[in-house]
Amino acid sequence: MPHWTALVAEKKQRQLKSIPQEWLVTPPPPSTLDVTGFPESCGLLNAREIEITNTSVDVLLKKLASAEWTAVDVTTAFSKRAIVAHQLVNCLTEIFIDRALARAAELDDHLRKTGKVIGPLHGLPISLKDQLCIKGLETTMGYVSWIGQYAENNAVLVDILIECGAVPFVRTNIPQTLMWPESFNNVFGRTTNPHNVSLTSGGSSGGEGALIALKGSPLGVGSDIGGSVRIPSAFCGIYGLRPSYGRVPYCGARNSLEGQDSILSVFGPMTSSLGGLKVFMKAVVNSKPWLKDPLAVRKKWDEDEYDLADHGSGKDLCFAIMWDDGVVVPHPPIRRSLEITKAALQKAGHKVVDWKPIKHRLLGDVARDIWNAASAEDFMITTSSTGEPIISTMELDDADVVAAAFRPKNGGFTAYQLWQAQKLRQNIRKEYIDHWNATASETGTGRPVDAIICPAAPFAATPHGKNRYANYTTVWNALDYPAAVFPVTTVDSTLDGKEPPHSFYDDFDKVVYEMYDPEKFKNAPVCLQLVGRTLEEEAVIKMTEIVDAALAAAK
C-alpha cells in the first residue's frame, strides 16, 4: 500500500479536478483577516447570482416554486459562491456540481411539464457534512483510511432530502475522528473562519459553518454529539439546531464511535436565515423517516407545539438566562450578548429570570467517560490500515501543546464501568427534569421556565487549537435537550475590553480568562443558544424566532 501521504496527494488532486477551472479566483493576501466581502467583489458572480445567494431560504423556495428562478440558476449561483468560499477558507471535501446541475435540470423540467413542485424543498441547493453518504461518492470523514471507499447507497437523510426536491451539491470539511470542536484532518486540511481567518470555524461541522457564513449554501446539514452543529454555527455567526435523538434519521451515514448508543450524534440544520430551521425540520419529519430508519422517532411536525400550545401560546413567556455554567466564566463579549438579549426580551414584554445550572461539570465528565470508554480503540482501528497519525492537537504547530480534556487519555473502560457512567447520567437527567419543573414557583406564569438562554461557548471563535472547552453545548447532549443557536452581535474591542480577574472556579477557568484579548478575537460573531425540553424542536424553533425578532426590534 502506498504511504498515507501519497494517498492524500492523489485525493487532493482529484478534488482540484472537480472544481470548474473557470471558477478559480485569486484570493486576497493572508493578511486580509475578514474575507466575507470577497465573494461579491471577486467578479465571478453576476448581479443576479449575488441576489440569489443573498436570498433567504423561504423566499428562495417561493421563487423556485413559481419558476421565477430556475433550479439550474439557483444551483449555479450557490455552486459558484461555494467554490469561491472554498478558495478562501478551505471548507469543502467532495464537489459534485455536474451531478447537482443535472438534478436541477430534471426538477425544472418536471415543474415546466406538470406545473407542480417535486416536494417542499424543490430546487433548493443543500450542502452536507462529510458523513452523509451519496451513492457513487467517497465519504472519507477526514480519514486517509477511507479514501477510495465509494458508497453503494445514499444515507436515509440524503434520500429524504432528494425526495423533498433538494439538490445536494457539495460536502463539507470536518476534523479527523469528528470528536473535536475545530475542523482539521490529514486529508483536506484546516477550515478557517471567514470573519477572521486567524480563528477557527469551530467543529466538527466547521466546513458547513464557514461555507454558510460566506453564503455558499443556503442550508446545510451538520451533526452534533457534543456541540458540533452549535459550536460552528456560533463561531461563524449563523443559525443552527441540535434536535433530540432520533428526530432526524441517521441511518446509512458514516460516523465515529459507532455502536455507542447512550449519547447519540444527531443531524441538524445550519443556515444563514432563521426560516431555514423550520423548513428543514418540517420537510424531514413529515417524510416519515421512521419507515426508513429504525431509530427515528415516530413524530410528525406538530403545528400546535410550534404555536406554543404548551407555553401559553407564546404570550408572556419566561426565559431563564444562564450567565455561566459553574465551571468556566464566559468572556466579556458573551456576557454582553446575554445582557443585550435579556434587555430585548424584557422590552418585548417577556419575563427573564436567572438559571441556576446543576451538576454541569459532572455532566460533561460523564459524557466524556461514555464516549472515551472505547474511543481510543475506535480511532486506532480506523487509522491502522494506512498508518496515518491520529491528530492530537488542532494547534498550528506542535509547540506548547496542551491536551484537550475531551480527548481519550487511557485505553478505555470495562463494560461494567461504562454502565456505571450511563447510570449516573440517567440519575442526573431525572434531577435536571425535577430542577426545571421546580422553576414554576418563580416564573409567575404558572408554568416552569419556557426555555433557557445560555452561551454556546465561553468565548467567541478562538485562535486555531485553542477551543478546549465544549461543556456549554455538551451538557444538553447528555440531557437530550434540543437547542438552537442564534446570532446576537460581534466582538467589539471598545465595548468588550478585558475585565479584572474574577474569583476563578479553578485553574482552567483562569486559563480561559487569560486567553481573552479583544484584538485577537476581532470581528468574531457572538451567538447564544436557546434550550428546550426533549423532542420539543417545534417550540424551540418558534421561541428562537421570538428571541430573534425581539433582538431585531431592540436594534
Side-chain angles (χ1 to χ4, degrees):
M1 182 173 246
H3 191 262
W4 70 266
T5 52
L7 294 171
V8 169
E10 184 271 339
K11 176 65 184 165
K12 289 286 284 180
Q13 207 47 45
R14 284 192 288 123
Q15 188 200 40
L16 199 58
K17 278 189 180 146
S18 67
I19 297 173
Q21 297 306 290
E22 64 276 17
W23 294 356
L24 294 175
V25 293
T26 305
S31 57
T32 306
L33 296 181
D34 180 355
V35 296
T36 51
F38 185 80
E40 292 182 22
S41 64
C42 69
L44 181 64
L45 281 79
N46 63 37
R48 179 110 179 273
E49 288 164 340
I50 290 171
E51 184 193 355
I52 287 170
T53 52
N54 276 305
T55 302
S56 70
V57 170
D58 290 330
V59 176
L60 275 172
L61 287 168
K62 281 191 187 106
K63 288 184 182 284
L64 283 159
S66 68
E68 184 181 337
W69 287 346
T70 66
V72 166
D73 284 350
V74 171
T75 301
T76 301
F78 279 104
S79 296
K80 285 168 85 168
R81 195 153 178 157
I83 295 300
V84 175
H86 179 60
Q87 294 170 79
L88 295 170
V89 294
N90 191 43
C91 52
L92 304 182
T93 57
E94 305 299 321
I95 299 161
F96 42 99
I97 289 159
D98 289 349
R99 255 186 198 227
L101 289 170
R103 164 74 178 153
E106 285 170 15
L107 292 167
D108 288 337
D109 195 42
H110 176 87
L111 184 58
R112 207 166 31 248
K113 283 177 178 161
T114 66
K116 292 193 177 95
V117 294
I118 288 274
L121 304 177
H122 182 97
L124 188 72
I126 286 192
S127 48
L128 304 169
K129 187 175 185 175
D130 201 63
Q131 291 177 260
L132 281 149
C133 297
I134 296 175
K135 189 177 178 178
L137 296 180
E138 290 159 288
T139 311
T140 64
M141 217 176 75
Y143 278 124
V144 179
S145 304
W146 289 356
I147 292 173
Q149 295 183 17
Y150 291 84
E152 291 179 14
N153 298 294
N154 289 339
V156 166
L157 180 56
V158 172
D159 275 337
I160 283 175
L161 291 171
I162 290 169
E163 283 163 22
C164 287
V167 183
F169 69 119
V170 288
R171 279 214 312 253
T172 54
N173 204 26
I174 63 305
Q176 182 205 53
T177 77
L178 299 182
M179 302 301 286
W180 285 100
E182 301 190 35
S183 295
F184 168 70
N185 62 70
N186 293 320
V187 183
F188 300 106
R190 185 185 305 275
T191 301
T192 57
N193 192 311
H195 298 277
N196 180 336
V197 294
S198 72
L199 306 176
T200 179
S201 61
S204 60
S205 314
E208 279 301 328
L211 174 67
I212 292 165
L214 285 165
K215 299 185 178 170
S217 169
L219 182 64
V221 181
S223 70
D224 193 313
I225 193 173
S228 290
V229 160
R230 289 159 293 155
I231 293 165
S233 295
F235 283 8
C236 295
I238 64 172
Y239 299 93
L241 175 72
R242 179 252 170 219
S244 297
Y245 309 146
R247 201 77 208 273
V248 176
Y250 217 100
C251 188
R254 302 205 87 162
N255 202 4
S256 270
L257 318 188
E258 284 194 304
Q260 182 282 111
D261 65 353
S262 182
I263 299 175
L264 295 169
S265 176
V266 298
F267 286 128
M270 299 169 69
T271 176
S272 54
S273 56
L274 178 51
L277 300 183
K278 181 183 179 184
V279 160
F280 174 88
M281 287 302 294
K282 193 172 178 179
V284 170
V285 301
N286 281 348
S287 298
K288 300 184 179 175
W290 51 88
L291 297 177
K292 295 175 179 158
D293 179 344
L295 298 185
V297 173
R298 192 182 186 97
K299 185 187 173 192
K300 279 190 178 179
W301 179 263
D302 187 334
E303 199 63 26
D304 283 346
E305 198 178 291
Y306 176 72
D307 290 335
L308 300 179
D310 296 333
H311 298 273
S313 300
K315 293 169 189 69
D316 308 322
L317 291 169
C318 182
F319 295 96
I321 289 190
M322 185 177 93
W323 299 94
D324 78 58
D325 66 350
V327 187
V328 173
V329 172
H331 285 172
I334 310 296
R335 173 88 194 186
R336 182 169 63 88
S337 70
L338 290 165
E339 285 162 355
I340 290 170
T341 306
K342 177 180 179 175
L345 287 168
Q346 287 175 328
K347 191 178 169 192
H350 300 293
K351 190 168 178 185
V352 182
V353 297
D354 290 341
W355 182 261
K356 185 175 177 288
I358 59 164
K359 301 195 173 175
H360 279 221
R361 187 190 295 270
L362 186 57
L363 269 169
D365 291 345
V366 167
R368 284 186 287 278
D369 284 346
I370 288 169
W371 297 328
N372 291 339
S375 62
E377 190 176 4
D378 183 71
F379 304 158
M380 188 181 68
I381 289 169
T382 307
T383 53
S384 62
S385 66
T386 54
E388 74 165 297
I390 295 171
I391 292 168
S392 61
T393 176
M394 294 274 140
E395 299 270 4
L396 292 171
D397 59 56
D398 287 352
D400 308 320
V401 166
V402 180
F406 47 77
R407 297 299 286 178
K409 287 180 190 57
N410 54 34
F413 268 18
T414 66
Y416 182 76
Q417 287 169 319
L418 173 61
W419 291 352
Q420 301 321 297
Q422 289 169 334
K423 180 175 155 189
L424 177 55
R425 169 181 170 248
Q426 202 171 298
N427 293 340
I428 301 172
R429 286 181 78 182
K430 171 62 176 145
E431 277 183 67
Y432 222 97
I433 217 169
D434 292 344
H435 178 58
W436 193 318
N437 290 340
T439 62
S441 64
E442 55 180 299
T443 58
T445 62
R447 304 184 303 276
V449 158
D450 292 296
I452 301 165
I453 290 172
C454 64
F459 27 60
T462 65
H464 299 293
K466 304 299 183 194
N467 186 11
R468 295 201 292 270
Y469 187 73
N471 249 30
Y472 274 97
T473 49
T474 297
V475 290
W476 311 121
N477 297 79
L479 294 164
D480 194 26
Y481 291 168
V485 160
F486 56 92
V488 180
T489 184
T490 52
V491 175
D492 180 321
S493 51
T494 44
L495 295 173
D496 300 317
K498 196 162 173 80
E499 289 174 356
H502 54 271
S503 169
F504 298 117
Y505 286 116
D506 60 12
D507 289 346
F508 183 70
D509 185 29
K510 188 180 179 190
V511 167
V512 172
Y513 165 80
E514 286 170 350
M515 78 188 255
Y516 182 62
D517 169 357
E519 278 309 303
K520 227 182 239 173
F521 289 83
K522 196 175 179 176
N523 204 42
V526 183
C527 297
L528 297 173
Q529 58 180 336
L530 182 144
V531 181
R533 305 235 213 171
T534 307
L535 291 170
E536 205 185 21
E537 287 72 25
E538 290 89 339
V540 163
I541 291 169
K542 181 62 165 221
M543 287 190 275
T544 305
E545 290 168 358
I546 287 169
V547 174
D548 195 66
L551 286 166
K555 271 178 192 162

